[in-house]
Amino acid sequence: MRILLPSKTKMCAHACGDTILELLKNYKTIAVVGLSSNPMRPSFGVTEYMQSAGYRIIPVNPNETEVLGERSYARLEDVPEKIDIVNMFRRAEEVPPVVESAIRIGAKVVWMQSGIENEEAAEKARAAGLLVVEDACILIEHRKRVG
């Protein structure tokens, strides 16, 4: 796991505590890019858990109309509400355009799930003021810190 804090962060970093815990407590709306309606896919199980933990889930997948009882949108730019966290279930090479969209919509956090890293996109997001988490499962991190 790698965490990049925004260059001009208002969020407390390592000296003040746990950055992941802070973002999980403060940000409650998660757009999940690549969320599948297939219960066998990791994106479904992880997102179902986060929804049951009280987070507002917004599916973003052009191949879905509804997932976990929520309307799915083709792109982040199509979502009509404010998004705090953009959680990605996409291959590393597909991350840059998602980061561009996250920057455009004013998201606070870009989260790349386990096994997903893209240094160039992560640095671009950080430079634009977003907090970046790479190569970490949001479900596992939530369970460790919140329960």
Side-chain angles (χ1 to χ4, degrees), residues 23-24 29-35 42-51 56-61 76 83-90 95 98 102 105 107 109-114 116 131 133-140:
L23 78 87
L24 289 171
T29 302
I30 306 173
V32 185
V33 178
L35 178 56
S43 65
F44 186 91
V46 168
T47 305
E48 183 177 47
Y49 168 85
M50 296 305 290
Q51 187 180 53
R56 166 85 173 100
I57 298 300
I58 302 169
V60 179
N61 185 333
L76 287 168
I83 296 168
D84 297 320
I85 301 171
V86 175
N87 186 17
M88 286 181 253
F89 285 89
R90 308 300 304 149
V95 166
V98 178
I105 65 162
V109 179
V110 169
W111 190 301
M112 299 176 217
Q113 280 296 129
S114 298
I116 305 171
L131 190 148
V133 180
E134 289 183 287
D135 189 24
C137 177
I138 198 167
L139 178 156
I140 291 170

Side-chain angles (χ1 to χ4, degrees), residues 10-75:
K10 293 178 186 168
M11 205 170 198
C12 205
H14 303 289
C16 299
D18 185 340
T19 301
I20 298 289
L21 178 60
E22 288 182 43
L23 78 87
L24 289 171
K25 284 185 172 181
N26 293 320
Y27 301 135
K28 298 296 184 182
T29 302
I30 306 173
V32 185
V33 178
L35 178 56
S36 172
S37 60
N38 180 346
M40 301 305 290
R41 304 290 301 181
S43 65
F44 186 91
V46 168
T47 305
E48 183 177 47
Y49 168 85
M50 296 305 290
Q51 187 180 53
S52 72
Y55 291 84
R56 166 85 173 100
I57 298 300
I58 302 169
V60 179
N61 185 333
N63 301 314
E64 300 285 358
T65 55
E66 185 177 288
V67 184
L68 294 167
E70 299 289 344
R71 177 180 172 196
S72 184
Y73 296 89
R75 307 171 315 134

